[in-house]
Amino acid sequence: MLNVYLSGEIHTDWREQITEGASDLPISFDGPVTDHGASDDCGAAILGAEENPFWHDHKGAKVNAIRTRMGIEQADVVVVRFGEKYKQWNAAFDAGYAAALGKSLIVLHAPEHRHALKEVDGAALAVAETPEQVVQILRYVLTGKLPA
Amino acid sequence: MLNVYLSGEIHTDWREQITEGASDLPISFDGPVTDHGASDDCGAAILGAEENPFWHDHKGAKVNAIRTRMGIEQADVVVVRFGEKYKQWNAAFDAGYAAALGKSLIVLHAPEHRHALKEVDGAALAVAETPEQVVQILRYVLTGKLPA
Amino acid sequence: MLNVYLSGEIHTDWREQITEGASDLPISFDGPVTDHGASDDCGAAILGAEENPFWHDHKGAKVNAIRTRMGIEQADVVVVRFGEKYKQWNAAFDAGYAAALGKSLIVLHAPEHRHALKEVDGAALAVAETPEQVVQILRYVLTGKLPA
Amino acid sequence: MLNVYLSGEIHTDWREQITEGASDLPISFDGPVTDHGASDDCGAAILGAEENPFWHDHKGAKVNAIRTRMGIEQADVVVVRFGEKYKQWNAAFDAGYAAALGKSLIVLHAPEHRHALKEVDGAALAVAETPEQVVQILRYVLTGKLPA
Amino acid sequence: MLNVYLSGEIHTDWREQITEGASDLPISFDGPVTDHGASDDCGAAILGAEENPFWHDHKGAKVNAIRTRMGIEQADVVVVRFGEKYKQWNAAFDAGYAAALGKSLIVLHAPEHRHALKEVDGAALAVAETPEQVVQILRYVLTGKLPA
Amino acid sequence: MLNVYLSGEIHTDWREQITEGASDLPISFDGPVTDHGASDDCGAAILGAEENPFWHDHKGAKVNAIRTRMGIEQADVVVVRFGEKYKQWNAAFDAGYAAALGKSLIVLHAPEHRHALKEVDGAALAVAETPEQVVQILRYVLTGKLPA
Amino acid sequence: MLNVYLSGEIHTDWREQITEGASDLPISFDGPVTDHGASDDCGAAILGAEENPFWHDHKGAKVNAIRTRMGIEQADVVVVRFGEKYKQWNAAFDAGYAAALGKSLIVLHAPEHRHALKEVDGAALAVAETPEQVVQILRYVLTGKLPA
Amino acid sequence: MLNVYLSGEIHTDWREQITEGASDLPISFDGPVTDHGASDDCGAAILGAEENPFWHDHKGAKVNAIRTRMGIEQADVVVVRFGEKYKQWNAAFDAGYAAALGKSLIVLHAPEHRHALKEVDGAALAVAETPEQVVQILRYVLTGKLPA
């Protein structure tokens, strides 16, 4: 059983593409809460509202960290996806966290982010452009089979 | 002696402001190579040119990693500065790396990045807006003195 | 499966409120022996009586440590409850122990202990006032669902 | 050179008694900021005031943690003093933190706290009642000499 | 499930007393090979005879270490029994090995070895004189029940 | 259940001899991809072709590392086989990697490589010449039975 | 600078033979308190007398552990000497403790203890019979020079 | 101060080229004993001759390991040189050992070993062909200056 954590961009269906493509493999997938609204508001919704937006965000970020830290620490492989929009600093943060723990890191991004992501790519064992390539890597790692 | 690593943005003089402001304190400062051109080209300049820009960047990122990993690992405190421009994914990567190693993290950024940096801020022991605040924190940590 | 250790106060039913509220979630709960008399006397009852009350306590504290250290070390999340009575130094000790191991820490206490617990709260990922909030956090962490 | 961290109660002169009594020994002493006002207000004074007292305390606790975590992690021996007043949960938190890191722990408290501190004492290598005893332990550890 | 490693003396039936007494508890017991002849000769029997008795012993000790190191590293609790005969340095070695790994150590020996074993006892969480006491500790740790 | 990683030479059937010989034992065997062509080409086949053979090899080596690092890290025992042909530096690299992680190392090679492998053998708990001896060691470690 | 801890037997002058023989080498030697009476009584002398000899010994063993644990943890090389008399279980305990921490272990004993010490010797990088051999090893390790 | 360990081939003057080329930099260089005869015979010369060449080599390999393990563990950067002759399995073993400890690895070899060393190169932060390139990397890492 391989534990794979899918970190990063939450606005496209790349997680579904990977989990469906790898559905015949003995992999347990984990990842952050991908409901954007819930992820932003979880701290205040459970622990009480905050007037200052910094503390609103702070409470939420820490409640989410209970899930994300555990997910990364239990993973054998961490896949980090950088999308087209937003700063995505949390994705890069997760990549650094995973790298420092010695996790196998697979980075997934379009070629135009090559230069901006060179330090993250430099810490990775694979740099993919498509979810399908990630599936092919996981399949090869588990079965030794290459795509036909 | 406190070891402080100054990570992140290399286009303004925030490092100089901190090192000068703290010049009377027993602190050893370290950080990445801040000569942008040398940092980009170090791999190819030393180990040989690459036609493919991905590998050009890759070689450079890894040579720089010799310095940055060591600097973060030897630091007691890691300060990460997010500036106004560029993606700065390497800054967020360094923050995640430092967090996973249990380093004391101080994040330095303008208020408008509050929401995008909430996960990084959530992992930090202090979130500052100015280099002067970082100096005041370091002074307090070492001497117990607050600003007048 | 999430491993949650419930540390601290043993005189109210907060553990039952949490385990019942989270009974539909895949969580394995653990905690100290909550039979106050057995907890105090276990060392002497098994290993022989002591005249000096310091050694009576010492033997018991160490036998209990076999359980509590293991419980904290195996936990993903450690919840520490501070109640209204007693010094509860063992609760704060467990919180420090969990923090040093990098466990996700949730602290549960009434608002009036805010100032006295500021260092413990500062090390936590969530500070709750009610067992129900702890259940809501655990539910969110596992399912991404917020309370209605 | 022995690194000794002196944690806990800040309202009596026990730290001075130990550092003066051990002034002829090759020991580097460290400890928290003992200026109570500065310790309480450091976060708000440097990083900006907070209306909500929880966040006022939170900011201060984290800035202090930069110093205390580093001090404990660099120590060979951690001495934790429990005094007569206040809850002193931060002292017990430090003791747990030190124990989890495998530091040699010396606890210093009056006999009447024996039962409340049994778990902390159970994790310690020595339980002293006076600062002089702590000095004698440090002297013996470094020189092999017992008090005359 | 508790993992308990039973180290030390192999000439009496103390292991059977413990495993039978605890047969109703969710414990997985492990220990060294207790067939004295096989334990002494395993290296030479499998990997080839040695003329020099030092290397005969050396090969056997290392093959046995594959089992004993793994057993101790996987254990939650290590019980070390010192008997009446032989030097039993390997038992004390196992105790030190377990202590350095932070395992919960229970030492089992007759009272007359008190002084010779004081360093080992000092590292233990319980010092028992009979296998029955060890069973009672394990039962208490798992169920909170004291002997009637 | 014992986890055994079989590293090294991929041109003879030594892995089959061990897994078949130990088929009655509770062992989970793992190892690298042994399809030489797939192992060499996996990086380029999945992530895109490279003109420069260094980067062709580099991409493949890193994809394979996802599997081999995980396999070694999860193993209790690492068996490293050195065959008659090729440089086999990856086998020696795996042995060093396993040794630094404190894994139990069994080395398998013909006697004529004795001098060249002395550092690797010096880090091992057993040096075998035949797959059958490895099976006998695994059987002894798990059951205490020596070959008849 | 090499840190060497000299553990074990305290009734002959083997420590002096090693430190004098290596006096021209950049080595910092450490070891336990070798004043037998002080070592036995340190706990009671400093922290108060105990009627029960078990607790008398216990207090002393723990105070000594402050020194011995630190010494072993800071050492690069741990030399453990087994003499002719007494059980010397603390020496074997130190050897196990050092082995679990991955320290380079040198064991020093007369040939007649070969069989009883086979597990300890099996964990060592060198087994010497004389203090002079230990000096020669240290000299070789630091300078590459063999005895003439 | 940078600690650099120079591992591998001992038959050419590459170590001298690096240490001389970097003589103006704050680097402390370490490496194995490079006197081939002393390195082969150190175990037998100090600890007694062995008839069986396996044990002759074994004793020497372990005495050398006291130096090499310590050197690698204390290094910030490990340079491993593969030369033209011999199997050099110890060089690859050192590379694996360094990689598992998270050391920054620089590999130095001629281009024709590209394929055989792909796993080692894949774990490295730089792959150099000449000692001069290693000096340039060290100079850049410490000063940020590229070769003119």
Side-chain angles (χ1 to χ4, degrees):
Chain A
M1 176 63 77
L2 192 71
N3 292 303
V4 176
Y5 188 84
L6 302 172
S7 169
E9 186 246 312
I10 62 172
H11 300 286
T12 65
D13 69 343
W14 69 278
R15 282 187 182 77
E16 287 69 29
Q17 290 185 53
I18 289 176
T19 53
E20 284 171 20
S23 63
D24 60 317
L25 295 171
I27 300 179
S28 172
F29 287 104
D30 197 4
V33 171
T34 57
D35 175 336
H36 200 154
S39 173
D40 273 5
D41 296 334
C42 61
I46 296 175
L47 297 169
E50 294 289 333
E51 285 195 22
N52 183 333
F54 180 87
W55 298 117
H56 175 97
D57 280 351
H58 195 73
K59 282 168 113 170
K62 283 187 166 175
V63 168
N64 282 313
I66 298 175
R67 177 177 176 127
T68 56
R69 301 280 169 90
M70 184 172 62
I72 295 174
E73 282 163 15
Q74 293 178 348
D76 301 304
V77 176
V78 175
V79 181
V80 185
R81 160 84 179 152
F82 291 85
E84 303 311 297
K85 296 194 299 185
Y86 305 109
K87 291 286 191 181
Q88 304 175 87
W89 282 324
N90 58 328
F93 180 87
D94 282 358
Y97 199 91
L101 297 179
K103 302 294 177 183
S104 288
L105 187 65
I106 299 175
V107 187
L108 175 58
H109 62 81
E112 63 262 35
H113 290 317
R114 184 205 79 236
H115 188 65
L117 282 169
K118 68 183 196 291
E119 286 85 4
V120 180
D121 289 353
L125 289 179
V127 180
E129 294 182 17
T130 69
E132 189 184 13
Q133 287 175 315
V134 176
V135 172
Q136 289 173 348
I137 290 171
L138 297 175
R139 186 176 309 281
Y140 172 74
V141 164
L142 284 169
T143 70
K145 301 296 177 200
L146 291 180
Chain B
M1 175 65 75
L2 192 71
N3 292 303
V4 177
Y5 188 84
L6 302 172
S7 169
E9 185 245 313
I10 62 171
H11 300 285
T12 64
D13 69 343
W14 69 277
R15 281 186 182 80
E16 286 68 30
Q17 290 183 53
I18 290 176
T19 53
E20 284 171 21
S23 62
D24 60 317
L25 296 171
I27 299 179
S28 171
F29 288 103
D30 196 4
V33 170
T34 56
D35 176 336
H36 200 154
S39 173
D40 274 4
D41 296 333
C42 61
I46 297 174
L47 298 169
E50 294 289 332
E51 285 195 22
N52 183 332
F54 180 86
W55 298 118
H56 174 98
D57 279 351
H58 195 73
K59 281 168 112 170
K62 284 187 164 175
V63 168
N64 282 314
I66 297 175
R67 177 177 175 128
T68 56
R69 301 279 170 89
M70 183 172 63
I72 295 175
E73 282 163 16
Q74 292 178 348
D76 301 304
V77 176
V78 175
V79 182
V80 185
R81 161 82 179 154
F82 291 86
E84 303 312 297
K85 295 193 297 183
Y86 305 109
K87 291 286 189 180
Q88 304 176 83
W89 282 324
N90 58 327
F93 181 87
D94 282 358
Y97 199 92
L101 297 179
K103 302 295 176 182
S104 288
L105 187 64
I106 299 175
V107 188
L108 175 59
H109 63 81
E112 63 262 34
H113 290 316
R114 184 206 80 237
H115 188 65
L117 280 170
K118 68 183 195 294
E119 287 86 2
V120 180
D121 289 353
L125 289 180
V127 179
E129 295 182 16
T130 68
E132 188 184 13
Q133 287 175 316
V134 176
V135 172
Q136 290 173 348
I137 290 171
L138 297 175
R139 186 176 309 281
Y140 172 74
V141 164
L142 283 169
T143 69
K145 301 297 179 200
L146 291 180
Chain C
M1 175 63 76
L2 192 71
N3 292 304
V4 176
Y5 188 84
L6 302 172
S7 168
E9 185 246 312
I10 62 172
H11 300 286
T12 65
D13 68 346
W14 69 279
R15 281 187 183 78
E16 286 70 29
Q17 290 184 54
I18 290 176
T19 53
E20 284 172 19
S23 63
D24 60 317
L25 295 171
I27 299 179
S28 172
F29 287 104
D30 196 4
V33 171
T34 56
D35 175 337
H36 199 153
S39 173
D40 273 4
D41 296 334
C42 61
I46 296 174
L47 296 170
E50 294 289 333
E51 284 196 24
N52 183 333
F54 180 87
W55 298 118
H56 174 97
D57 281 350
H58 195 73
K59 282 168 112 170
K62 284 186 164 175
V63 168
N64 282 313
I66 298 176
R67 177 177 175 127
T68 57
R69 302 279 170 90
M70 184 172 61
I72 295 174
E73 282 162 14
Q74 292 178 347
D76 301 304
V77 176
V78 175
V79 182
V80 185
R81 161 83 179 154
F82 291 86
E84 304 311 298
K85 295 193 299 184
Y86 305 109
K87 291 286 190 181
Q88 304 175 86
W89 282 323
N90 58 328
F93 181 87
D94 282 358
Y97 199 91
L101 297 179
K103 302 295 177 184
S104 287
L105 187 64
I106 299 175
V107 187
L108 175 59
H109 62 81
E112 63 262 35
H113 290 316
R114 184 205 80 238
H115 188 66
L117 282 169
K118 68 182 195 293
E119 286 86 3
V120 180
D121 289 353
L125 289 180
V127 179
E129 294 183 17
T130 68
E132 189 185 12
Q133 288 175 316
V134 175
V135 172
Q136 290 173 347
I137 290 171
L138 296 175
R139 186 176 309 282
Y140 172 74
V141 164
L142 284 169
T143 70
K145 302 296 179 200
L146 291 181
Chain D
M1 175 64 77
L2 192 72
N3 292 304
V4 176
Y5 188 83
L6 301 172
S7 169
E9 185 246 314
I10 61 171
H11 300 286
T12 65
D13 68 344
W14 69 278
R15 280 186 183 79
E16 287 69 29
Q17 290 184 53
I18 290 176
T19 52
E20 285 172 20
S23 62
D24 60 317
L25 296 171
I27 299 179
S28 171
F29 287 103
D30 195 4
V33 170
T34 56
D35 174 337
H36 199 154
S39 173
D40 273 4
D41 295 335
C42 61
I46 296 174
L47 297 169
E50 294 289 331
E51 284 195 23
N52 183 332
F54 180 86
W55 297 118
H56 174 98
D57 280 351
H58 196 72
K59 281 168 113 169
K62 283 186 165 176
V63 168
N64 282 313
I66 297 175
R67 177 176 175 128
T68 57
R69 302 280 169 90
M70 184 173 62
I72 295 175
E73 282 163 14
Q74 292 178 347
D76 302 303
V77 176
V78 175
V79 181
V80 185
R81 161 83 180 153
F82 291 86
E84 303 311 298
K85 296 194 297 185
Y86 305 108
K87 291 285 190 181
Q88 303 176 86
W89 283 323
N90 59 328
F93 181 88
D94 282 358
Y97 199 91
L101 296 179
K103 302 295 177 184
S104 288
L105 188 64
I106 299 175
V107 188
L108 175 58
H109 63 81
E112 63 262 33
H113 290 316
R114 184 206 79 238
H115 188 66
L117 282 169
K118 68 184 196 292
E119 286 87 3
V120 180
D121 289 353
L125 289 179
V127 180
E129 295 182 16
T130 68
E132 189 185 13
Q133 287 175 315
V134 175
V135 172
Q136 290 173 348
I137 290 171
L138 296 175
R139 186 176 308 281
Y140 172 74
V141 164
L142 284 170
T143 69
K145 301 296 178 199
L146 291 180
Chain E
M1 175 64 76
L2 192 71
N3 292 304
V4 176
Y5 187 84
L6 302 173
S7 169
E9 185 246 310
I10 62 172
H11 300 286
T12 66
D13 68 344
W14 69 278
R15 282 188 183 78
E16 287 69 28
Q17 291 185 53
I18 289 176
T19 53
E20 285 171 19
S23 62
D24 60 317
L25 296 170
I27 299 179
S28 171
F29 286 104
D30 196 4
V33 171
T34 56
D35 175 337
H36 199 154
S39 174
D40 273 4
D41 296 334
C42 61
I46 296 174
L47 297 170
E50 294 289 333
E51 284 195 25
N52 182 332
F54 180 86
W55 297 118
H56 174 97
D57 280 350
H58 195 72
K59 281 167 113 171
K62 284 187 165 176
V63 168
N64 283 313
I66 297 176
R67 178 178 176 127
T68 56
R69 300 279 169 90
M70 184 173 62
I72 295 175
E73 281 163 15
Q74 292 178 347
D76 302 303
V77 176
V78 175
V79 181
V80 186
R81 160 83 179 154
F82 291 86
E84 303 311 297
K85 295 194 299 185
Y86 304 109
K87 291 285 189 180
Q88 303 175 86
W89 282 323
N90 59 327
F93 181 87
D94 282 358
Y97 199 92
L101 297 179
K103 302 295 177 182
S104 288
L105 188 63
I106 299 175
V107 188
L108 175 59
H109 63 81
E112 63 261 36
H113 290 317
R114 185 205 80 238
H115 189 66
L117 281 169
K118 68 184 196 291
E119 286 86 3
V120 180
D121 289 354
L125 289 179
V127 180
E129 294 182 17
T130 68
E132 189 184 13
Q133 288 175 316
V134 175
V135 173
Q136 290 173 346
I137 290 170
L138 296 175
R139 186 175 309 281
Y140 172 75
V141 164
L142 283 169
T143 70
K145 301 298 177 199
L146 291 180
Chain F
M1 175 64 78
L2 192 72
N3 293 302
V4 176
Y5 188 83
L6 302 172
S7 169
E9 186 246 312
I10 62 171
H11 300 286
T12 65
D13 69 344
W14 69 278
R15 282 187 182 78
E16 286 69 29
Q17 289 185 52
I18 289 176
T19 53
E20 284 172 21
S23 62
D24 60 317
L25 296 171
I27 300 179
S28 172
F29 287 104
D30 197 3
V33 171
T34 56
D35 175 335
H36 199 154
S39 174
D40 273 4
D41 295 335
C42 61
I46 296 175
L47 297 169
E50 294 290 333
E51 284 195 23
N52 183 332
F54 180 86
W55 298 117
H56 174 97
D57 280 350
H58 194 73
K59 281 168 114 171
K62 283 186 165 176
V63 168
N64 282 314
I66 298 175
R67 177 176 175 128
T68 56
R69 302 279 169 89
M70 184 173 61
I72 295 175
E73 281 162 15
Q74 293 178 348
D76 302 304
V77 176
V78 175
V79 181
V80 185
R81 160 82 180 155
F82 291 86
E84 302 312 297
K85 295 194 300 184
Y86 305 109
K87 291 286 191 180
Q88 304 177 86
W89 282 323
N90 59 327
F93 181 87
D94 283 357
Y97 200 91
L101 297 179
K103 303 294 177 183
S104 287
L105 187 64
I106 299 175
V107 188
L108 175 59
H109 63 81
E112 63 261 34
H113 290 317
R114 185 205 80 238
H115 188 65
L117 282 169
K118 67 183 197 292
E119 286 85 4
V120 180
D121 289 353
L125 289 180
V127 179
E129 295 182 16
T130 69
E132 188 184 14
Q133 287 175 316
V134 175
V135 173
Q136 289 173 349
I137 290 171
L138 297 174
R139 186 176 308 281
Y140 172 74
V141 164
L142 284 169
T143 70
K145 302 297 178 200
L146 291 181
Chain G
M1 175 65 76
L2 192 73
N3 292 303
V4 176
Y5 188 84
L6 303 172
S7 169
E9 185 245 315
I10 61 172
H11 299 287
T12 65
D13 69 344
W14 68 278
R15 279 185 185 79
E16 286 70 28
Q17 289 183 53
I18 289 176
T19 52
E20 285 171 19
S23 62
D24 59 318
L25 296 171
I27 299 179
S28 171
F29 287 103
D30 197 3
V33 170
T34 55
D35 175 336
H36 200 155
S39 173
D40 274 4
D41 295 334
C42 61
I46 296 174
L47 297 169
E50 294 289 333
E51 285 196 21
N52 183 332
F54 180 87
W55 298 117
H56 174 97
D57 279 351
H58 195 73
K59 282 169 111 169
K62 284 186 165 175
V63 168
N64 283 313
I66 298 175
R67 177 177 176 128
T68 56
R69 301 279 169 91
M70 183 172 63
I72 294 175
E73 282 163 14
Q74 293 178 347
D76 301 303
V77 176
V78 175
V79 181
V80 186
R81 160 84 181 154
F82 291 85
E84 303 311 298
K85 296 194 297 185
Y86 305 109
K87 292 285 190 180
Q88 303 176 87
W89 282 324
N90 59 328
F93 181 87
D94 282 358
Y97 199 91
L101 297 179
K103 302 296 177 182
S104 288
L105 187 65
I106 299 174
V107 188
L108 176 58
H109 63 81
E112 62 262 34
H113 289 318
R114 185 205 80 237
H115 188 65
L117 281 170
K118 68 183 195 294
E119 286 86 3
V120 180
D121 289 353
L125 289 180
V127 179
E129 294 183 17
T130 68
E132 188 184 14
Q133 287 175 316
V134 175
V135 173
Q136 290 173 346
I137 290 171
L138 297 174
R139 185 176 309 281
Y140 173 75
V141 163
L142 283 169
T143 69
K145 302 296 178 200
L146 291 180
Chain H
M1 175 64 77
L2 192 72
N3 293 303
V4 176
Y5 188 83
L6 302 172
S7 169
E9 185 245 314
I10 62 172
H11 300 286
T12 64
D13 69 343
W14 69 277
R15 280 187 183 79
E16 286 69 28
Q17 290 184 52
I18 290 176
T19 53
E20 284 172 20
S23 62
D24 59 318
L25 296 170
I27 299 179
S28 170
F29 287 103
D30 196 4
V33 170
T34 56
D35 175 337
H36 200 154
S39 174
D40 273 4
D41 295 335
C42 61
I46 296 174
L47 297 169
E50 293 290 332
E51 284 195 23
N52 183 333
F54 180 87
W55 297 118
H56 174 97
D57 279 351
H58 195 73
K59 281 168 111 169
K62 284 187 165 176
V63 168
N64 283 312
I66 297 176
R67 177 175 175 130
T68 57
R69 301 280 168 90
M70 184 173 61
I72 295 175
E73 282 162 14
Q74 292 178 347
D76 301 303
V77 176
V78 175
V79 181
V80 185
R81 160 84 180 154
F82 291 85
E84 303 311 298
K85 296 194 297 183
Y86 305 110
K87 291 286 190 180
Q88 304 176 84
W89 282 325
N90 59 327
F93 181 88
D94 283 357
Y97 199 91
L101 296 179
K103 301 296 176 183
S104 288
L105 188 64
I106 299 175
V107 187
L108 175 59
H109 63 81
E112 63 262 34
H113 290 316
R114 184 206 81 238
H115 188 65
L117 281 169
K118 68 183 196 293
E119 287 86 4
V120 179
D121 288 353
L125 289 179
V127 179
E129 295 182 17
T130 68
E132 188 185 14
Q133 287 175 316
V134 175
V135 172
Q136 289 173 347
I137 290 171
L138 297 174
R139 185 176 310 280
Y140 172 74
V141 164
L142 283 169
T143 70
K145 301 296 178 200
L146 291 180

